[in-house]
Amino acid sequence: MSLYQRENGVWYYSITLQSGKRIRGSTRTKDRKLAEELHDKLKYETWRQINLDEKPKYLWDEAALRWIKEKKGIKKSIKDDICRLRQLQELRGIYIHLIDKQMIMSIINQKDISNGTKNRYIALIRSILNACVQDWDMLEQAPKLKLFKEPKHRMKWLRPAEAKRLLNNLVPYMAAMAEYDLATGLRQRNIFDLRWSQIDFLKRTCEYYPEDMKSDKPLVIPLNDTAIKILVKQLGKHDEYVFLNSRHKPVKSLNYKLWRIGVANAGIDEDFNWHDLRHTWASWLVQDGVSLYALKEMGGWKSLEMVQRYAHLAPEHLIQHASKIDNIMANECHSFVTGASLGGGNITLDQMRKILKNMEEKWWVVSDSNARPTD
């Protein structure tokens, strides 16, 4: 029998080809009539592929499943891919050669998400369809997809008082992880997956292997007193994992509902994300005089360019360079107010008041914007 029904009520097909090879699969329906239609359609398409040399047609489900199988253990963000694929139910059961730009954008635009999140979905769909063309020979041509324009966001970080309020308003297990993040600057996944085997209390270090890191490079971070105290409190809770959720299970993902509640109760902007804890850690260090090179090594970034975003938080190292203009202007530009009325050395408070008073009489600070200097 080429169609048979299992105990769960779903019909399955079994098609035998001329070569003796058998193709089996689920029709995903409990309706016998629909199952027969699918069986006949698959049998007809298989006959055309063999006798007329037609290329087989593949479903989106097959492409998505192959993507997961091939990327699992290789792609660090495969868990995120799986979550997004679960949200793309509209593509299930559709042949990939029928998926065009209009269909994809229509599905994405129906989702009430930011442009940045929409771009993550588009990038995933585009990657899978490109793999169908370039690697798997499942598709002749993939549609060209453009990404949405994303606004440039201000880098968000907390002041110590704000961080304290946040920790006080998070549930205990989440507060412990957040505090550890503020103490070490590690990425979310590196904290959630932290194991005791990575911790060396004698050397006060935490070790990560290349496969654990976004940069694909090993990282050994020094553990400060704050981090050590947090780890000591976690001892005895689990044999393998350091942090556990409220059900005493390893933390697999962030509970966004609890996070948002904690952020709101702490009076912090609602768009403050977990990753911003890493920005906070880096910002605090830079403002306290830590060099960008040291920050790069501590945070496991690939290059100095990636930590340049924090440079504006510590302009002190540029003051000595900016001061060089003082000598030039003092020697060559005697007509300037500083050269005419002030001597050498640092500017005192009284001298600064004289300068400001003098400036008030100049045209460029007159309240009337149409005022002009008179000769």
Side-chain angles (χ1 to χ4, degrees):
M1 185 70 178
S2 56
L3 270 178
Y4 57 95
Q5 193 175 31
R6 289 186 176 175
E7 293 180 357
N8 59 7
V10 176
W11 288 92
Y12 289 76
Y13 61 84
S14 177
I15 301 173
T16 304
L17 306 180
Q18 293 176 353
S19 61
K21 180 181 177 181
R22 286 208 299 180
I23 302 175
R24 297 174 179 174
S26 170
T27 65
R28 300 204 304 271
T29 181
K30 297 181 180 180
D31 188 313
R32 181 181 177 88
K33 186 175 181 182
L34 292 176
E36 288 177 347
E37 289 181 9
L38 177 61
H39 168 270
D40 294 341
K41 182 180 180 182
L42 291 173
K43 193 171 183 179
Y44 171 71
E45 289 177 350
T46 303
W47 182 89
R48 292 186 65 88
Q49 292 166 18
I50 296 173
N51 296 281
L52 302 180
D53 200 28
E54 284 189 356
K55 291 194 69 172
K57 298 175 182 177
Y58 298 94
L59 294 171
W60 166 259
D61 310 58
E62 298 174 272
L65 184 60
R66 185 164 182 177
W67 175 266
I68 294 172
K69 287 182 177 179
E70 290 194 5
K71 300 299 180 180
K72 207 165 188 176
I74 299 175
K75 192 171 186 284
K76 290 184 173 63
S77 59
I78 188 60
K79 291 182 179 179
D80 295 330
D81 289 355
I82 294 173
C83 290
R84 293 188 182 107
L85 288 171
R86 287 173 179 161
Q87 301 301 319
L88 292 171
Q89 294 295 320
E90 300 90 340
L91 292 176
R92 296 202 62 180
I94 297 179
Y95 286 105
I96 56 176
H97 69 279
L98 298 178
I99 299 177
D100 56 15
K101 179 180 178 180
Q102 183 178 359
M103 178 188 296
I104 295 170
M105 299 312 292
S106 175
I107 292 172
I108 299 300
N109 282 322
Q110 289 176 9
K111 298 184 178 298
D112 185 19
I113 51 180
S114 67
N115 283 357
T117 306
K118 288 179 180 179
N119 286 341
R120 304 294 88 75
Y121 278 97
I122 293 174
L124 176 60
I125 296 172
R126 184 168 59 185
S127 296
I128 293 176
L129 294 180
N130 285 338
C132 289
V133 175
Q134 301 167 10
D135 303 326
W136 306 331
D137 197 27
M138 296 169 64
L139 188 64
E140 290 291 341
Q141 186 176 5
K144 294 182 179 180
L145 303 173
K146 288 185 178 181
L147 299 177
F148 290 91
K149 187 175 181 180
E150 298 183 40
K152 292 184 179 180
H153 295 289
R154 174 182 61 84
M155 185 182 68
K156 299 181 287 294
W157 57 277
L158 300 177
R159 291 177 173 80
E162 294 173 317
K164 184 177 181 180
R165 289 205 311 270
L166 176 62
L167 296 178
N168 289 337
N169 282 280
L170 292 174
V171 294
Y173 87 88
M174 195 176 289
M177 295 190 299
E179 187 176 9
Y180 190 78
D181 200 336
L182 290 170
T184 61
L186 289 166
R187 294 182 175 88
Q188 182 186 104
R189 180 49 51 194
N190 297 137
I191 292 178
F192 289 4
D193 291 341
L194 184 60
R195 291 169 169 82
W196 289 115
S197 58
Q198 298 172 247
I199 307 296
D200 189 326
F201 280 104
L202 293 178
K203 295 181 180 179
R204 295 171 63 99
T205 58
C206 178
E207 183 177 5
Y208 287 92
Y209 298 104
E211 58 268 24
D212 300 324
M213 303 304 296
K214 183 179 179 181
S215 61
D216 292 321
K217 294 182 179 179
L219 178 68
V220 178
I221 65 167
L223 296 174
N224 48 44
D225 289 344
T226 302
I228 291 291
K229 290 177 182 177
I230 297 169
L231 293 173
V232 169
K233 290 181 180 179
Q234 300 300 118
L235 286 171
K237 293 184 178 182
H238 197 274
D239 293 337
E240 183 180 2
Y241 288 92
V242 175
F243 295 108
L244 307 176
N245 59 26
S246 55
R247 293 173 294 177
H248 303 287
K249 300 290 184 182
V251 182
K252 297 299 182 183
S253 60
L254 178 66
N255 187 320
Y256 285 97
K257 182 178 180 180
L258 292 178
W259 170 258
R260 293 302 175 202
I261 292 174
V263 169
N265 291 341
I268 296 171
D269 291 343
E270 61 179 10
D271 62 345
F272 186 83
N273 300 314
W274 184 280
H275 190 72
D276 294 323
L277 295 174
R278 178 171 164 87
H279 292 319
T280 299
W281 166 82
S283 301
W284 287 355
L285 289 179
V286 171
Q287 291 177 83
D288 206 45
V290 174
S291 69
L292 294 183
Y293 180 80
L295 183 68
K296 179 185 85 70
E297 296 299 307
M298 294 172 67
W301 281 283
K302 279 188 176 181
S303 64
L304 276 173
E305 287 75 13
M306 301 182 75
V307 296
Q308 284 297 327
R309 74 182 81 177
Y310 305 107
H312 72 284
L313 296 172
E316 293 83 4
H317 68 286
L318 299 177
I319 292 178
Q320 59 178 325
H321 302 297
S323 298
K324 293 183 180 297
I325 202 70
D326 293 336
N327 295 330
I328 298 174
M329 296 181 70
N331 295 330
E332 304 296 336
C333 307
H334 297 290
S335 61
F336 275 64
V337 62
T338 54
S341 59
L342 299 174
N346 296 329
I347 299 177
T348 65
L349 181 59
D350 288 338
Q351 289 173 332
M352 180 59 71
R353 287 172 178 166
K354 291 180 181 179
I355 293 173
L356 294 174
K357 185 176 180 180
N358 193 8
M359 289 176 65
E360 289 176 358
E361 301 173 1
K362 302 299 180 181
W363 63 270
W364 55 82
V365 292
V366 175
S367 59
D368 182 2
S369 60
N370 294 321
R372 292 291 184 269
T374 56
D375 294 328

